[in-house]
Amino acid sequence: AADAGEKEDTLRFAKRGETLLGNVPLSLLLVAEAAELDADDAKAEESYRAMLAQPDTELLGLHGLFRIAMRKGQEDEALRLAARAQELRPKTAWPAEALFDLRVGRHEWDEAQSALKRQMRLRLIGADAARRKRAVVLTAAARDADRAGDDEAALTRSLDAATLAPALVPAAALAARKLT
């Protein structure tokens, strides 16, 4: 019911599960998902936080809290939760992707590159996809450098990006403009 988005059924089943089972992991998850469907972030957070206390559900709790933080626009909290999840389970894909995406969104290019390298090292991303993402990050960093008036950094990064992904037109265009 929760996965299908059936709010009333999920709420009913969650209440019944909580009554019958108490604070067991499955009950906590159902209550959290029902609360999210009901747009009750406080109740969802309470359930996800309860999951943090149990090793079997800690990662699930972090993921739920991460989603809520992102929905609320609390990037610093989302970043902290994703980093904690990555420490807990380094080979899990969602924290690695989240850390990369958050760093890119914040224009933290070096940290984004580090997150991408970690994904590659753990084989969470393929080589071709990683190369393309790295080129896109380098292009964005080159554009930032260009806007800041750092012609040397803009040229170096755009050339590196164009070398990694020759079909990436923005990288090639910026490199050509800087070379001109």
Side-chain angles (χ1 to χ4, degrees), residues 125-171:
I125 188 171
D128 290 340
R131 187 172 23 263
R132 174 79 177 174
K133 279 186 170 187
R134 185 165 183 254
V136 169
V137 168
L138 284 168
T139 302
R143 283 184 169 177
D144 277 2
D146 187 40
R147 285 187 201 108
D150 188 346
D151 292 333
E152 186 177 324
L155 175 61
T156 302
R157 289 180 179 144
S158 61
L159 285 173
D160 289 347
T163 301
L164 284 170
L168 187 60
V169 175

Side-chain angles (χ1 to χ4, degrees), residues 47-164:
S47 291
Y48 287 130
R49 288 199 191 290
M51 288 181 202
L52 298 179
Q54 300 177 28
D56 292 346
T57 58
E58 186 175 4
L59 186 66
L60 192 55
L62 288 169
H63 194 213
L65 291 170
F66 168 82
R67 287 194 319 264
I68 291 170
M70 288 298 293
R71 197 169 47 248
K72 289 180 170 182
Q74 299 170 338
E75 282 188 10
D76 290 339
E77 177 67 2
L79 196 60
R80 187 188 69 73
L81 291 163
R84 184 169 164 201
Q86 190 171 58
E87 282 177 26
L88 183 65
R89 299 262 178 84
K91 292 186 179 183
T92 300
W94 78 261
E97 291 168 6
L99 288 170
F100 174 78
D101 291 344
L102 283 165
R103 296 299 189 184
V104 166
R106 295 162 69 116
H107 292 229
E108 296 172 350
W109 307 123
D110 292 338
E111 292 84 353
Q113 294 282 19
S114 294
L116 188 57
K117 286 178 187 173
R118 184 179 178 104
Q119 284 180 308
M120 287 175 50
R121 191 173 58 249
L122 295 172
R123 300 183 196 275
L124 297 173
I125 188 171
D128 290 340
R131 187 172 23 263
R132 174 79 177 174
K133 279 186 170 187
R134 185 165 183 254
V136 169
V137 168
L138 284 168
T139 302
R143 283 184 169 177
D144 277 2
D146 187 40
R147 285 187 201 108
D150 188 346
D151 292 333
E152 186 177 324
L155 175 61
T156 302
R157 289 180 179 144
S158 61
L159 285 173
D160 289 347
T163 301
L164 284 170

